Every structure is written in C-alpha cells, then in structure tokens.
Amino acid sequence: MYRFLLTRQWVILTLLGLALIPTMIELGFWQFHKHEHRVEQNGLISRNLEARPVPVSELTSPGHTVPRSDYWRAVTATGTFDTEHEVVVRRRTSDDDRIGVHVLTPLDLKGGGTVLVNRGWVPAAPNQTAFPDVPPAPRGEVTVAGRLKADETTGSSGIKDLAGLPDRQVMLINSDQQSQLLSRTVLGGYIEQTEPRPAGDLPEQIASPDDSSIGPHMAYAVQWWLFVAAVPVGWIILVRREKRDRDEAAAAGNTTADAPEQPEPASA
C-alpha cells in the first residue's frame, strides 16, 4: 500500500525532512539562548546604572581589564582635563546616525593617575586629515560622572585599527595605546561621561544603553520550533495525498479494464 515510500523521490524527501528537524531545533535553541543573553544583559545594565556611583579607581587600575560585570557601572572621577593630549576617535555615529568622531580626553586624577573620558560626539572635519572643531573641556578641577566601559579592541568591536592616521586621531578607545602616547600609566577602560553636561549642544553625550528591549529572538525561536512540528505534519499530508492519487489512478484503471467492449460498427 505504501510501497511508493521506497522510491528514490520519497527516500530523498524523507531524509531531507529528517535532516531539517535537528537543524531547526538547534536554530531555535540558538535564538532562545540569544534571548536569554539579552535579558541577562538588560538586567546587568539596569543594576549597574542604578548602583551607587563609586570612584573609578575602586573598580579599575593601570593595565586592568574591566570585567563584564562592571560594564556600564556608575563611576565618578575628580581631576583636571589634559586637553593638550586630547584625541578624537574616528568613524563614530551620533544618536541619529550622523558620521563623526568621539572626543577622548585624559583626566589627570586628583589622587594621582589618569583615566580616559569619552566626552561625546562631534561632527567630523570636512577634511579627514584635519582635526575637527571640539568644544573645550572644563578648566580647573572637575568631577566627572559617567559609565565605566572596557577598552576597545578589534576583536571586541570589529573595528580595524588603522595605521598612519593623522595626528591626534585614533580608531579605538584603548587605555594601553593612550598610555604609550602619553608616556604615563592610564587606568584600564574609560569613562563614558554623563556629567557635567556641556554648556552648548556639543559634544553630544552618548545615550544610555537600552535596558528594556529584548529583541525578536524569542519569537524567532518559537518560529523555528513550529517549523519542526510542521515537517512531520507536512510529510504525512504529502504521503496521504500520494496514496489517494495512486488509489484513484488504480481505480480508474480497473474501471477501464472491466468495461464491456463496444461492437464495431457494421460496414456498409
């Protein structure tokens, strides 16, 4: 009755369905794990942003790698901006996706040491070799508040670290690189400044990270698992349709074979 399932066409179709099922199950779990990661990250962002601000030197030191548990942690730093060694970070976008640069200014701490401060976004200069117009940092002693971030690397950011850039322009925010340029030790990571706010419109301070959106990953996971259920259901429907068509073809053939022969018309 179902001998047609042994034909080459049906064997290939069945094997294809069997191969798709574990693949789609794995894709569903991949999306589910991305959903879990996003939920966990949202919780981490919320906790660290809402935590009591602490002096940056309590969380990092020269050569220190900021752990993921301290990303976006609220920190403060008191010192004096070293505008002479200020650099800009190329190919950065504003909140409305305009291309520009980030302003990275060393802050010499009151108790000793230096920390990098990302003061925000400004438009790039018309000429890529020129240094853009950057509003000056506050003079004198200042207390900066912001979010602690880890050093950027090509591996973590996907940004290629280009060589031969114009003076005072960099591709990555990296404390090791800036320590070599400054010829003094720099605390690991950097501060994404939130206070004090600039007197004018620039630099545009970087918006807080999103800690509410969970993305579409859970919906994608459910879709993949629904596809898994659809494979055997679709296979059964196709099998029944094939059997029905074969039964109808066989019945039509038998009816034709059993029909009485019609006499030939007599010749004139």
Side-chain angles (χ1 to χ4, degrees), residues 26-44 68 210-225:
E26 184 64 25
L27 288 171
F29 276 111
W30 173 59
Q31 290 291 342
F32 178 69
H33 292 323
K34 291 184 72 173
H35 167 78
E36 287 186 316
H37 175 75
R38 185 62 179 269
V39 171
E40 179 187 356
Q41 178 165 289
N42 286 348
L44 175 66
R68 185 171 179 272
D210 183 8
D211 62 349
S212 60
S213 173
I214 59 174
H217 303 298
M218 191 62 187
Y220 290 159
V222 172
Q223 285 180 353
W224 281 116
W225 292 332

Side-chain angles (χ1 to χ4, degrees), residues 44-236:
L44 175 66
I45 293 172
S46 298
R47 290 192 301 272
N48 285 354
L49 291 180
E50 295 169 2
R52 177 182 62 84
V54 298
V56 67
S57 56
E58 291 187 11
L59 297 180
T60 186
S61 58
H64 178 72
T65 299
V66 177
R68 185 171 179 272
S69 58
D70 286 338
Y71 287 8
W72 306 287
R73 182 69 185 275
V75 294
T76 60
T78 300
T80 306
F81 278 116
D82 178 8
T83 55
E84 182 181 350
H85 295 100
E86 188 172 72
V87 299
V88 294
V89 191
R90 293 163 60 105
R91 298 181 184 176
R92 301 301 166 115
T93 56
S94 64
D95 291 342
D96 55 0
D97 294 328
R98 290 173 293 158
I99 301 298
V101 298
H102 281 174
V103 181
L104 190 65
T105 312
L107 181 72
D108 294 330
L109 298 173
K110 183 177 181 179
T114 299
V115 66
L116 302 176
V117 177
N118 184 349
R119 296 202 292 125
W121 179 93
V122 298
N127 184 344
Q128 290 192 5
T129 61
F131 196 80
D133 292 330
V134 176
R139 295 181 179 274
E141 187 174 284
V142 61
T143 296
V144 171
R147 301 178 286 264
L148 180 63
K149 299 290 292 292
D151 286 322
E152 296 178 347
T153 64
T154 297
S156 64
S157 67
I159 300 171
K160 186 176 181 180
D161 192 11
L162 302 176
L165 294 177
D167 188 36
R168 301 174 63 195
Q169 297 191 31
V170 298
M171 296 299 299
L172 299 169
I173 305 177
N174 187 282
S175 62
D176 287 338
Q177 289 183 358
Q178 293 304 307
S179 177
Q180 295 175 19
L181 294 173
L182 294 168
S183 298
R184 61 180 185 267
T185 58
V186 176
L187 273 62
Y190 65 98
I191 298 176
E192 210 169 63
Q193 180 178 330
T194 57
E195 295 290 342
R197 302 193 67 82
D201 296 331
L202 296 174
E204 291 183 9
Q205 293 187 333
I206 300 168
S208 297
D210 183 8
D211 62 349
S212 60
S213 173
I214 59 174
H217 303 298
M218 191 62 187
Y220 290 159
V222 172
Q223 285 180 353
W224 281 116
W225 292 332
L226 288 175
F227 291 156
V228 170
V231 169
V233 172
W235 186 85
I236 292 172

